Amino acid sequence: MTISTINPATGELLKTFEPLKDAEIPAKLNLAQQAFETYRHTSFQERSQLLKSCTDILVQRKADFAKLMTIEMGKTYKSAIAEAEKCALVCRYYAEHGAEFLADVPAKTDASESFIRYQPLGIILAVMPWNFPFWQVFRFAAPALMAGNVALLKHASNVPQCALAIEDILQTAGFADGVFQTLLVDASQVAPLMADPRVQAATLTGSELAGGSLAAASGTQIKKTVLELGGSDPFIVLPSADFESAAVTGTTARMLNNGQSCIAAKRFIVIDAIADKFEKLLLEKFKALQIGDPMVPETDIGPLATKKILEDLDQQVQKTIHIGAKLILGGKPIPNNPGNYYPPTLITDIPPEHPVAKEEFFGPVAMLFRVPNIDAAIKLANDTPFGLGASAWTTNPQEQQRLINDIEAGAVFINGMVKSDPRMPFGGIKRSGYGRELSIQGIHEFVNVKTVWVK
Ligand code: NAP
């Protein structure tokens, strides 16, 4: 894949970058390793100060960063501003809580003194996707750097300017040379990087294919990985729910980021008795969405990030219709437009056992399934290879407990939209990946949990 910026709203090629040559990579690794030897000895206070500087830069220059995100991957400018602000928040969160999360933990044993100490591992490779081009990187980098690791970023090929801007933020904040480096490399250069003895671990956010490939490369090297992969989150609506609120939130949850979010509500699962009413409400909200130029404040849905994503999504939709599903709204790319625009789309009557019903739709396309009762809703919710998040709507406390206990996912949100929050762990089960980001769990992924016993 060429490393370039192509504006998804216009199709215009704005900038192309040469990938690093294989011969240039060892110097980057040397620099990272040297940086680690010094950086690992910095105090929590110093690291916290550096992260606070990142917060300041992100807040002060959020307009510049937002523009870059919008131009490179098409998210609305207003959502890109919110993304820069959320990155500032995660930096502040680990600046304020990192020392407490990494403090020695005493343990009572037969020793005169025993405790757990958390220590950095070294160089961590981060392979990141384009959909939240700043947030995905900062939610990894803030805890990893707070713990004393150093990082190499291989970002998605369509967001090179975001990748370079992030490196610049960390350098401007005062992190020493080599503590965080962006490598403009091709996906094929990842496995050799993993094989380098200086790289200790890796994290990848992206597709199952990329995750499996990185896990295989890491497996033979016996190196730890965290994988944040795809999802096909259910959005369950039961009869006691507030339908209006569920439809408003469901629309946001499906259309967020032009429909390109791993934790988007992708499968609406609704009880028969209320399905017609809910479908009507959802349709109303979908129809009210404004599609267009992502820089315009009134726009709700901008273009998809690449032409290929648009084509793949459309193929999935056509396949669904071909097997007998009913198209209620949308269902075709917006014609005569050089941008990658796909309209809000609603599909019902999908045969639930068909493989396409279990796939991830990465765009503004919602599937709506009707089920007779809560048992069938939970069964269908769990009937995918994924297990990232789930949103369920009911005011009945017993039903809430059943949903919390029986849904197979890394997160269950009751009467709310699935979202990431620095204070709560984030990650999936099944083919959505393993490991956790954010909160105390996130900062403990890339550390040596050292047992210390002293007599
Ligand atoms: P992708 O193709 O897997 O790309 C993600 C990253 O992996 C990019 O940097 C890509 O580089 C790299 N990559 C691709 N193939 C690779 C390989 N064989 N070895 C090593 N690296 C490789 O993902 P995408 O389709 O752009 O992103 C969307 C997917 O990410 C969706 O499935 C979405 O659900 C998932 N996602 C998950 C989360 C989560 O937290 N669970 C968050 C966001 C997105 P190139 O760009 O150079 O190919």
Short mmCIF file of all heavy atoms in Angstrom, two decimals, residues 152-218:
data_model
loop_
_atom_site.label_atom_id
_atom_site.label_comp_id
_atom_site.label_asym_id
_atom_site.label_seq_id
_atom_site.Cartn_x
_atom_site.Cartn_y
_atom_site.Cartn_z
N LEU A 152 7.58 2.55 19.15
CA LEU A 152 7.69 2.73 17.70
C LEU A 152 6.27 2.63 17.13
O LEU A 152 5.55 1.69 17.47
CB LEU A 152 8.54 1.62 17.07
CG LEU A 152 10.01 1.55 17.48
CD1 LEU A 152 10.67 0.33 16.82
CD2 LEU A 152 10.75 2.83 17.07
N LEU A 153 5.91 3.59 16.31
CA LEU A 153 4.56 3.58 15.72
C LEU A 153 4.62 3.25 14.24
O LEU A 153 5.30 3.92 13.47
CB LEU A 153 3.92 4.97 15.90
CG LEU A 153 2.63 5.24 15.11
CD1 LEU A 153 1.48 4.35 15.59
CD2 LEU A 153 2.23 6.72 15.21
N LYS A 154 3.88 2.18 13.86
CA LYS A 154 3.61 1.96 12.43
C LYS A 154 2.12 2.28 12.28
O LYS A 154 1.24 1.53 12.70
CB LYS A 154 3.89 0.49 12.04
CG LYS A 154 3.66 0.19 10.57
CD LYS A 154 2.26 -0.33 10.32
CE LYS A 154 1.97 -0.59 8.87
NZ LYS A 154 1.57 0.60 8.11
N HIS A 155 1.85 3.42 11.69
CA HIS A 155 0.45 3.84 11.55
C HIS A 155 -0.08 3.35 10.20
O HIS A 155 0.69 2.92 9.34
CB HIS A 155 0.37 5.38 11.65
CG HIS A 155 -0.88 5.85 12.34
ND1 HIS A 155 -2.09 5.20 12.21
CD2 HIS A 155 -1.12 6.90 13.18
CE1 HIS A 155 -3.01 5.84 12.93
NE2 HIS A 155 -2.45 6.87 13.54
N ALA A 156 -1.39 3.46 10.03
CA ALA A 156 -2.01 3.05 8.77
C ALA A 156 -1.49 3.93 7.63
O ALA A 156 -1.22 5.12 7.82
CB ALA A 156 -3.53 3.17 8.88
N SER A 157 -1.40 3.33 6.44
CA SER A 157 -0.75 4.00 5.30
C SER A 157 -1.49 5.23 4.81
O SER A 157 -0.91 6.05 4.09
CB SER A 157 -0.61 3.02 4.14
OG SER A 157 0.15 1.94 4.56
N ASN A 158 -2.78 5.37 5.17
CA ASN A 158 -3.54 6.53 4.68
C ASN A 158 -3.54 7.71 5.65
O ASN A 158 -4.21 8.70 5.38
CB ASN A 158 -4.98 6.12 4.34
CG ASN A 158 -5.68 5.44 5.49
OD1 ASN A 158 -5.05 4.79 6.30
ND2 ASN A 158 -6.99 5.58 5.59
N VAL A 159 -2.81 7.59 6.78
CA VAL A 159 -2.79 8.74 7.72
C VAL A 159 -1.35 9.14 8.11
O VAL A 159 -1.06 9.38 9.28
CB VAL A 159 -3.65 8.45 8.99
CG1 VAL A 159 -5.12 8.46 8.65
CG2 VAL A 159 -3.27 7.14 9.66
N PRO A 160 -0.45 9.23 7.11
CA PRO A 160 0.96 9.51 7.45
C PRO A 160 1.16 10.87 8.11
O PRO A 160 2.04 11.00 9.00
CB PRO A 160 1.67 9.46 6.09
CG PRO A 160 0.60 9.70 5.07
CD PRO A 160 -0.64 9.09 5.65
N GLN A 161 0.35 11.86 7.72
CA GLN A 161 0.58 13.19 8.31
C GLN A 161 0.14 13.20 9.78
O GLN A 161 0.77 13.87 10.61
CB GLN A 161 -0.14 14.26 7.51
CG GLN A 161 0.40 14.34 6.07
CD GLN A 161 -0.06 15.60 5.38
OE1 GLN A 161 0.21 16.70 5.84
NE2 GLN A 161 -0.75 15.44 4.26
N CYS A 162 -0.91 12.46 10.09
CA CYS A 162 -1.30 12.32 11.51
C CYS A 162 -0.17 11.62 12.28
O CYS A 162 0.19 12.03 13.39
CB CYS A 162 -2.58 11.49 11.65
SG CYS A 162 -4.06 12.34 11.11
N ALA A 163 0.39 10.58 11.67
CA ALA A 163 1.46 9.82 12.34
C ALA A 163 2.65 10.72 12.65
O ALA A 163 3.22 10.67 13.75
CB ALA A 163 1.89 8.66 11.44
N LEU A 164 3.02 11.57 11.69
CA LEU A 164 4.16 12.47 11.90
C LEU A 164 3.82 13.58 12.90
O LEU A 164 4.67 13.97 13.71
CB LEU A 164 4.62 13.06 10.57
CG LEU A 164 5.21 12.02 9.59
CD1 LEU A 164 5.40 12.63 8.21
CD2 LEU A 164 6.54 11.45 10.11
N ALA A 165 2.57 14.03 12.87
CA ALA A 165 2.15 15.08 13.81
C ALA A 165 2.21 14.55 15.25
O ALA A 165 2.60 15.28 16.17
CB ALA A 165 0.74 15.56 13.48
N ILE A 166 1.85 13.30 15.44
CA ILE A 166 1.88 12.72 16.79
C ILE A 166 3.33 12.63 17.31
O ILE A 166 3.62 12.99 18.45
CB ILE A 166 1.19 11.33 16.80
CG1 ILE A 166 -0.31 11.51 16.50
CG2 ILE A 166 1.41 10.61 18.13
CD1 ILE A 166 -1.07 10.23 16.19
N GLU A 167 4.24 12.20 16.43
CA GLU A 167 5.65 12.16 16.82
C GLU A 167 6.12 13.56 17.22
O GLU A 167 6.83 13.75 18.23
CB GLU A 167 6.49 11.64 15.65
CG GLU A 167 7.96 11.51 15.96
CD GLU A 167 8.76 11.07 14.72
OE1 GLU A 167 8.68 11.75 13.67
OE2 GLU A 167 9.46 10.06 14.82
N ASP A 168 5.68 14.53 16.45
CA ASP A 168 6.06 15.92 16.71
C ASP A 168 5.51 16.40 18.07
O ASP A 168 6.21 17.08 18.83
CB ASP A 168 5.56 16.80 15.56
CG ASP A 168 6.02 18.23 15.73
OD1 ASP A 168 7.24 18.44 15.82
OD2 ASP A 168 5.17 19.13 15.81
N ILE A 169 4.29 16.03 18.39
CA ILE A 169 3.70 16.43 19.68
C ILE A 169 4.56 15.90 20.83
O ILE A 169 4.89 16.63 21.77
CB ILE A 169 2.25 15.87 19.83
CG1 ILE A 169 1.31 16.55 18.84
CG2 ILE A 169 1.73 16.03 21.27
CD1 ILE A 169 -0.07 15.91 18.74
N LEU A 170 4.94 14.63 20.73
CA LEU A 170 5.70 14.03 21.83
C LEU A 170 7.09 14.65 21.95
O LEU A 170 7.58 14.88 23.05
CB LEU A 170 5.75 12.50 21.66
CG LEU A 170 4.36 11.91 21.94
CD1 LEU A 170 4.06 10.73 21.05
CD2 LEU A 170 4.23 11.51 23.39
N GLN A 171 7.69 14.96 20.80
CA GLN A 171 9.01 15.61 20.85
C GLN A 171 8.90 17.02 21.41
O GLN A 171 9.70 17.42 22.26
CB GLN A 171 9.63 15.63 19.47
CG GLN A 171 10.24 14.27 19.14
CD GLN A 171 10.93 14.25 17.78
OE1 GLN A 171 10.94 15.24 17.06
NE2 GLN A 171 11.49 13.10 17.46
N THR A 172 7.89 17.75 20.95
CA THR A 172 7.71 19.12 21.43
C THR A 172 7.42 19.12 22.93
O THR A 172 7.82 20.04 23.66
CB THR A 172 6.56 19.82 20.66
OG1 THR A 172 6.79 19.62 19.27
CG2 THR A 172 6.47 21.29 20.96
N ALA A 173 6.72 18.10 23.40
CA ALA A 173 6.41 18.01 24.83
C ALA A 173 7.67 17.80 25.66
O ALA A 173 7.65 18.02 26.88
CB ALA A 173 5.42 16.87 25.06
N GLY A 174 8.73 17.34 25.02
CA GLY A 174 9.99 17.20 25.75
C GLY A 174 10.48 15.77 25.92
O GLY A 174 11.51 15.53 26.54
N PHE A 175 9.75 14.80 25.40
CA PHE A 175 10.26 13.41 25.46
C PHE A 175 11.57 13.37 24.68
O PHE A 175 11.68 13.95 23.59
CB PHE A 175 9.25 12.43 24.85
CG PHE A 175 8.08 12.11 25.75
CD1 PHE A 175 6.87 12.77 25.60
CD2 PHE A 175 8.20 11.16 26.76
CE1 PHE A 175 5.80 12.49 26.44
CE2 PHE A 175 7.14 10.87 27.60
CZ PHE A 175 5.93 11.54 27.45
N ALA A 176 12.57 12.67 25.23
CA ALA A 176 13.89 12.64 24.60
C ALA A 176 13.81 11.96 23.24
O ALA A 176 12.92 11.13 23.00
CB ALA A 176 14.86 11.90 25.51
N ASP A 177 14.77 12.29 22.41
CA ASP A 177 14.88 11.66 21.08
C ASP A 177 14.83 10.15 21.21
O ASP A 177 15.56 9.58 22.02
CB ASP A 177 16.26 12.02 20.48
CG ASP A 177 16.11 13.07 19.42
OD1 ASP A 177 15.01 13.63 19.32
OD2 ASP A 177 17.12 13.33 18.73
N GLY A 178 13.99 9.52 20.40
CA GLY A 178 13.97 8.06 20.39
C GLY A 178 12.95 7.44 21.33
O GLY A 178 12.69 6.24 21.27
N VAL A 179 12.35 8.24 22.23
CA VAL A 179 11.36 7.66 23.16
C VAL A 179 10.09 7.30 22.39
O VAL A 179 9.45 6.29 22.65
CB VAL A 179 11.05 8.62 24.33
CG1 VAL A 179 9.88 8.13 25.16
CG2 VAL A 179 12.29 8.77 25.21
N PHE A 180 9.76 8.12 21.41
CA PHE A 180 8.60 7.81 20.56
C PHE A 180 8.97 8.14 19.11
O PHE A 180 9.26 9.29 18.79
CB PHE A 180 7.38 8.64 20.98
CG PHE A 180 6.15 8.30 20.18
CD1 PHE A 180 5.19 7.44 20.69
CD2 PHE A 180 5.96 8.81 18.90
CE1 PHE A 180 4.06 7.10 19.95
CE2 PHE A 180 4.83 8.47 18.15
CZ PHE A 180 3.88 7.62 18.68
N GLN A 181 8.97 7.13 18.27
CA GLN A 181 9.29 7.39 16.86
C GLN A 181 8.20 6.84 15.95
O GLN A 181 7.71 5.73 16.15
CB GLN A 181 10.59 6.68 16.48
CG GLN A 181 11.82 7.16 17.22
CD GLN A 181 13.04 6.37 16.78
OE1 GLN A 181 13.61 6.62 15.72
NE2 GLN A 181 13.45 5.39 17.58
N THR A 182 7.86 7.63 14.95
CA THR A 182 6.96 7.16 13.89
C THR A 182 7.82 6.56 12.79
O THR A 182 8.77 7.20 12.32
CB THR A 182 6.14 8.34 13.34
OG1 THR A 182 5.16 8.68 14.33
CG2 THR A 182 5.44 7.99 12.05
N LEU A 183 7.49 5.34 12.40
CA LEU A 183 8.18 4.72 11.27
C LEU A 183 7.20 4.65 10.10
O LEU A 183 6.16 3.99 10.22
CB LEU A 183 8.61 3.28 11.62
CG LEU A 183 9.45 3.06 12.88
CD1 LEU A 183 9.85 1.59 12.98
CD2 LEU A 183 10.69 3.94 12.89
N LEU A 184 7.51 5.32 9.03
CA LEU A 184 6.64 5.21 7.86
C LEU A 184 7.05 3.94 7.12
O LEU A 184 7.98 3.93 6.32
CB LEU A 184 6.79 6.44 6.95
CG LEU A 184 6.28 7.76 7.54
CD1 LEU A 184 6.45 8.90 6.54
CD2 LEU A 184 4.83 7.67 8.00
N VAL A 185 6.40 2.84 7.50
CA VAL A 185 6.76 1.54 6.91
C VAL A 185 5.52 0.86 6.37
O VAL A 185 4.39 1.17 6.76
CB VAL A 185 7.46 0.60 7.93
CG1 VAL A 185 8.85 1.09 8.27
CG2 VAL A 185 6.62 0.42 9.19
N ASP A 186 5.76 -0.11 5.51
CA ASP A 186 4.70 -0.91 4.92
C ASP A 186 4.35 -2.03 5.91
O ASP A 186 5.17 -2.41 6.75
CB ASP A 186 5.28 -1.50 3.63
CG ASP A 186 4.22 -2.20 2.83
OD1 ASP A 186 3.45 -1.50 2.17
OD2 ASP A 186 4.16 -3.45 2.89
N ALA A 187 3.12 -2.58 5.76
CA ALA A 187 2.71 -3.68 6.65
C ALA A 187 3.69 -4.86 6.55
O ALA A 187 3.91 -5.57 7.54
CB ALA A 187 1.30 -4.12 6.28
N SER A 188 4.29 -5.06 5.37
CA SER A 188 5.21 -6.20 5.20
C SER A 188 6.48 -6.03 6.02
O SER A 188 7.24 -6.98 6.21
CB SER A 188 5.56 -6.37 3.72
OG SER A 188 6.25 -5.21 3.28
N GLN A 189 6.74 -4.82 6.52
CA GLN A 189 7.96 -4.60 7.32
C GLN A 189 7.73 -4.83 8.81
O GLN A 189 8.65 -4.71 9.62
CB GLN A 189 8.48 -3.17 7.07
CG GLN A 189 9.03 -2.99 5.65
CD GLN A 189 9.26 -1.52 5.30
OE1 GLN A 189 8.31 -0.76 5.13
NE2 GLN A 189 10.52 -1.11 5.21
N VAL A 190 6.48 -5.19 9.18
CA VAL A 190 6.16 -5.38 10.60
C VAL A 190 6.77 -6.68 11.16
O VAL A 190 7.37 -6.68 12.24
CB VAL A 190 4.62 -5.33 10.82
CG1 VAL A 190 4.25 -5.77 12.22
CG2 VAL A 190 4.10 -3.91 10.56
N ALA A 191 6.61 -7.78 10.42
CA ALA A 191 7.11 -9.06 10.93
C ALA A 191 8.63 -9.02 11.18
O ALA A 191 9.10 -9.44 12.25
CB ALA A 191 6.72 -10.20 10.00
N PRO A 192 9.43 -8.48 10.23
CA PRO A 192 10.86 -8.36 10.52
C PRO A 192 11.15 -7.49 11.75
O PRO A 192 12.08 -7.79 12.52
CB PRO A 192 11.44 -7.72 9.26
CG PRO A 192 10.44 -7.93 8.19
CD PRO A 192 9.11 -8.10 8.83
N LEU A 193 10.34 -6.45 11.95
CA LEU A 193 10.53 -5.62 13.15
C LEU A 193 10.30 -6.45 14.41
O LEU A 193 11.04 -6.36 15.40
CB LEU A 193 9.54 -4.46 13.14
CG LEU A 193 10.00 -3.15 12.54
CD1 LEU A 193 8.82 -2.20 12.36
CD2 LEU A 193 11.08 -2.47 13.39
N MET A 194 9.25 -7.26 14.37
CA MET A 194 8.93 -8.11 15.53
C MET A 194 10.06 -9.10 15.82
O MET A 194 10.24 -9.54 16.95
CB MET A 194 7.64 -8.91 15.29
CG MET A 194 6.35 -8.21 15.62
SD MET A 194 6.38 -7.24 17.12
CE MET A 194 6.37 -8.45 18.41
N ALA A 195 10.77 -9.46 14.76
CA ALA A 195 11.84 -10.45 14.94
C ALA A 195 13.10 -9.83 15.55
O ALA A 195 14.00 -10.54 16.00
CB ALA A 195 12.18 -11.08 13.59
N ASP A 196 13.16 -8.52 15.58
CA ASP A 196 14.36 -7.88 16.14
C ASP A 196 14.36 -8.07 17.66
O ASP A 196 13.37 -7.77 18.32
CB ASP A 196 14.36 -6.38 15.81
CG ASP A 196 15.70 -5.75 16.18
OD1 ASP A 196 15.94 -5.54 17.39
OD2 ASP A 196 16.51 -5.53 15.27
N PRO A 197 15.47 -8.55 18.20
CA PRO A 197 15.48 -8.84 19.65
C PRO A 197 15.24 -7.62 20.53
O PRO A 197 14.84 -7.76 21.68
CB PRO A 197 16.88 -9.43 19.90
CG PRO A 197 17.65 -9.24 18.65
CD PRO A 197 16.70 -8.91 17.52
N ARG A 198 15.47 -6.42 20.00
CA ARG A 198 15.25 -5.23 20.82
C ARG A 198 13.77 -4.91 21.02
O ARG A 198 13.39 -4.27 21.98
CB ARG A 198 15.97 -4.02 20.20
CG ARG A 198 17.47 -4.11 20.35
CD ARG A 198 18.17 -3.16 19.42
NE ARG A 198 18.03 -3.58 18.02
CZ ARG A 198 18.74 -3.10 17.01
NH1 ARG A 198 19.63 -2.16 17.22
NH2 ARG A 198 18.56 -3.55 15.78
N VAL A 199 12.94 -5.36 20.09
CA VAL A 199 11.48 -5.10 20.24
C VAL A 199 10.92 -6.15 21.20
O VAL A 199 11.06 -7.35 20.98
CB VAL A 199 10.77 -5.16 18.86
CG1 VAL A 199 9.26 -5.03 19.03
CG2 VAL A 199 11.31 -4.06 17.96
N GLN A 200 10.31 -5.67 22.28
CA GLN A 200 9.89 -6.58 23.35
C GLN A 200 8.45 -7.04 23.24
O GLN A 200 8.10 -8.11 23.75
CB GLN A 200 10.06 -5.89 24.72
CG GLN A 200 11.48 -5.44 25.02
CD GLN A 200 12.46 -6.60 25.05
OE1 GLN A 200 12.12 -7.69 25.49
NE2 GLN A 200 13.67 -6.39 24.56
N ALA A 201 7.61 -6.23 22.65
CA ALA A 201 6.18 -6.55 22.63
C ALA A 201 5.51 -5.67 21.58
O ALA A 201 6.13 -4.75 21.05
CB ALA A 201 5.57 -6.26 24.00
N ALA A 202 4.24 -5.96 21.32
CA ALA A 202 3.53 -5.16 20.31
C ALA A 202 2.05 -5.08 20.62
O ALA A 202 1.49 -5.94 21.30
CB ALA A 202 3.72 -5.78 18.92
N THR A 203 1.46 -4.03 20.10
CA THR A 203 0.01 -3.88 20.20
C THR A 203 -0.50 -3.56 18.81
O THR A 203 0.16 -2.83 18.06
CB THR A 203 -0.36 -2.76 21.20
OG1 THR A 203 -1.78 -2.66 21.27
CG2 THR A 203 0.20 -1.41 20.84
N LEU A 204 -1.63 -4.15 18.44
CA LEU A 204 -2.20 -3.85 17.12
C LEU A 204 -3.70 -3.60 17.27
O LEU A 204 -4.40 -4.36 17.93
CB LEU A 204 -1.97 -5.00 16.14
CG LEU A 204 -2.51 -4.77 14.71
CD1 LEU A 204 -1.57 -5.35 13.65
CD2 LEU A 204 -3.91 -5.32 14.51
N THR A 205 -4.15 -2.53 16.69
CA THR A 205 -5.58 -2.27 16.58
C THR A 205 -5.89 -2.30 15.09
O THR A 205 -5.25 -1.58 14.31
CB THR A 205 -5.93 -0.90 17.18
OG1 THR A 205 -5.54 -0.92 18.55
CG2 THR A 205 -7.42 -0.63 17.11
N GLY A 206 -6.85 -3.13 14.71
CA GLY A 206 -7.16 -3.23 13.29
C GLY A 206 -7.98 -4.46 13.00
O GLY A 206 -8.75 -4.93 13.85
N SER A 207 -7.80 -4.99 11.80
CA SER A 207 -8.62 -6.11 11.35
C SER A 207 -8.12 -7.44 11.93
O SER A 207 -6.99 -7.54 12.41
CB SER A 207 -8.57 -6.17 9.83
OG SER A 207 -7.23 -6.35 9.42
N GLU A 208 -8.97 -8.45 11.80
CA GLU A 208 -8.58 -9.80 12.27
C GLU A 208 -7.37 -10.31 11.49
O GLU A 208 -6.49 -10.95 12.05
CB GLU A 208 -9.72 -10.78 12.02
CG GLU A 208 -10.93 -10.58 12.87
CD GLU A 208 -12.06 -11.43 12.32
OE1 GLU A 208 -12.09 -12.63 12.63
OE2 GLU A 208 -12.88 -10.89 11.57
N LEU A 209 -7.36 -9.98 10.19
CA LEU A 209 -6.28 -10.46 9.34
C LEU A 209 -4.93 -9.91 9.82
O LEU A 209 -3.96 -10.66 9.98
CB LEU A 209 -6.55 -9.98 7.90
CG LEU A 209 -5.88 -10.76 6.81
CD1 LEU A 209 -6.49 -12.16 6.72
CD2 LEU A 209 -6.06 -10.04 5.46
N ALA A 210 -4.90 -8.59 10.05
CA ALA A 210 -3.65 -7.97 10.49
C ALA A 210 -3.28 -8.47 11.89
O ALA A 210 -2.11 -8.77 12.17
CB ALA A 210 -3.81 -6.45 10.50
N GLY A 211 -4.28 -8.61 12.76
CA GLY A 211 -4.03 -9.07 14.13
C GLY A 211 -3.46 -10.47 14.14
O GLY A 211 -2.48 -10.76 14.83
N GLY A 212 -4.06 -11.34 13.32
CA GLY A 212 -3.58 -12.73 13.26
C GLY A 212 -2.16 -12.78 12.75
O GLY A 212 -1.32 -13.56 13.26
N SER A 213 -1.87 -11.93 11.78
CA SER A 213 -0.54 -11.92 11.19
C SER A 213 0.51 -11.44 12.21
O SER A 213 1.58 -12.03 12.35
CB SER A 213 -0.61 -11.06 9.94
OG SER A 213 0.62 -10.62 9.55
N LEU A 214 0.17 -10.39 12.96
CA LEU A 214 1.11 -9.90 13.97
C LEU A 214 1.27 -10.93 15.10
O LEU A 214 2.38 -11.17 15.58
CB LEU A 214 0.64 -8.57 14.57
CG LEU A 214 1.61 -8.02 15.60
CD1 LEU A 214 2.70 -7.18 14.95
CD2 LEU A 214 0.90 -7.20 16.66
N ALA A 215 0.15 -11.54 15.49
CA ALA A 215 0.21 -12.53 16.58
C ALA A 215 1.09 -13.72 16.15
O ALA A 215 1.86 -14.26 16.95
CB ALA A 215 -1.19 -13.00 16.95
N ALA A 216 0.99 -14.11 14.88
CA ALA A 216 1.81 -15.23 14.39
C ALA A 216 3.29 -14.84 14.43
O ALA A 216 4.13 -15.60 14.93
CB ALA A 216 1.40 -15.59 12.97
N ALA A 217 3.59 -13.63 13.95
CA ALA A 217 4.99 -13.17 13.95
C ALA A 217 5.51 -13.06 15.38
O ALA A 217 6.68 -13.38 15.65
CB ALA A 217 5.09 -11.82 13.23
N SER A 218 4.66 -12.64 16.31
CA SER A 218 5.10 -12.50 17.71
C SER A 218 5.20 -13.85 18.38
O SER A 218 6.05 -14.06 19.25
CB SER A 218 4.09 -11.66 18.50
OG SER A 218 3.70 -10.55 17.77
#
